[in-house]
Amino acid sequence: MEQRYYQKDIETMSYEEMKKLQSEKLVKQVKHVYDNVPYYRNLMDEKGVKPEDIHGIDDLHLLPFLSKADLRDAYPYGLLAKPLSECVRIHSTSGTTGRRVVAFYTQKDVDLWEDCCARAITAAGGTNDDVCQVAYGYGLFTGGAGLHGGSHKVGCLTLPMSSGNTERQIQFMSDLGATILCCTPSYAAYIGETLKEQGYTPDDIPLKAGIFGAEPWTEEMRRQIEATLGIKAYDIYGLTETSGPGVAFECSEQTGMHVNEDHFYAEIIDPDTGEVLPEGEKGELVFTSLDKEAFPLLRYRTRDICVLSRKKCSCGRTLVKMAKPMGRTDDMLIIRGVNVFPSQIETVLLKEGYQPNYQIIVDRVNNNDTFEVNVEMNADQFTDIASELLMMEKKLAGAMKTMLGINPTVHLVPPKSVARSEGKAVRVIDKRKLI
């Protein structure tokens, strides 16, 4: 595929030029935050750091971190750095516990965010000749709005479908010739599953690419979606706290996501000590918004575990790459003293020939953790013969034990019995009272 760029000068900028640009932006941003956000000014004062101590990116480590707990404590306006009269939009996280995180945007913030999403669409081969079907949720969720705006910037014909009503999604995809699909990976898998049930093959739909994010997904799931929909599947990364999707995006090489580091500076830290780790080390991802006006977060701890790399990329982009997150420090389950990530379960299922339709159920009985995994069988795997079912469950449990180091109880359940999701899939039910 011919390499196209949305903003080539930035996307192929040398490391030295990028660092200079980042440093200039950081100095201005720290002063902006210190002058306008009392909550963060107090954190800086507690640490004995003043804006004049920050001369560039090399001084970033002097600044205090922000966490999701800080965002909830400061809800709703405590981290706002611009008057509400200058803000044009609000988005919010999709979390269901505690105070929601609310992020604010000036018009400049929206424009820069849409540019980031436009870079992602262009990297996936999108041009003004494409039809971009946006099946992320709209509303407070950032997915729909971000890719919608990016699609406009590229000049695609945009189908603002939102999530749900899968039959209508397929009808419009076919009738209007959608070539790029944007949604969560679990919903993309569900669309592919529904297409197959309706008797369609990938040759019957015009899709060529998909841009999928907002939840973890494995390489095995990527290949499955690519085969089912007949597309190339691209990853996209973002956080409501920093803007939304488009903080980082995948190119044709599919070996990690390029961080839009002219807008977001990435660090990897030791999640326990906060120490900044060198390139190539695995740790917690931290982002600093270099030019966001209304809601500028400095050193925000994402809780995502990954690796950064500046290895030369075949696409020609010089933007640093982040690996697909390997899990989250706050989504990680500790079961019987062992760290378990849902993505590990999914990897086993796909390798063993199962669909990624599953739920992990954790409970505590008589002070001991119970660990069950309900796994949906495919139609061609289904059996109601007890002995066959037991043998299949034991085999799958053995594969999971090899991956995880602990033995789960596996229940194979009939096709369609695990609830489908048109948004973010609910993979974990933790019934333990751990607080």
Side-chain angles (χ1 to χ4, degrees), residues 212-226:
F212 308 130
E215 64 185 18
W217 54 310
T218 60
E219 284 302 309
E220 291 84 2
M221 189 172 182
R222 184 213 297 271
R223 301 306 167 208
Q224 182 189 66
I225 291 171
E226 288 183 330

Side-chain angles (χ1 to χ4, degrees), residues 358-395:
Y358 65 97
Q359 275 192 329
I360 302 165
I361 302 169
V362 187
D363 205 344
R364 183 158 289 172
V365 179
N366 297 326
N367 295 319
N368 291 315
D369 288 341
T370 62
F371 176 25
E372 301 179 28
V373 185
N374 291 339
V375 178
E376 186 178 282
M377 290 180 282
N378 305 327
D380 58 352
Q381 294 169 324
F382 181 68
T383 177
D384 55 5
I385 300 172
S387 59
E388 291 183 6
L389 201 59
L390 184 62
M391 188 170 61
M392 291 165 66
E393 288 173 342
K394 282 185 175 180
K395 183 175 183 290

Side-chain angles (χ1 to χ4, degrees), residues 117 122 218 308 435:
C117 290
T122 304
T218 60
L308 295 178
I435 297 174

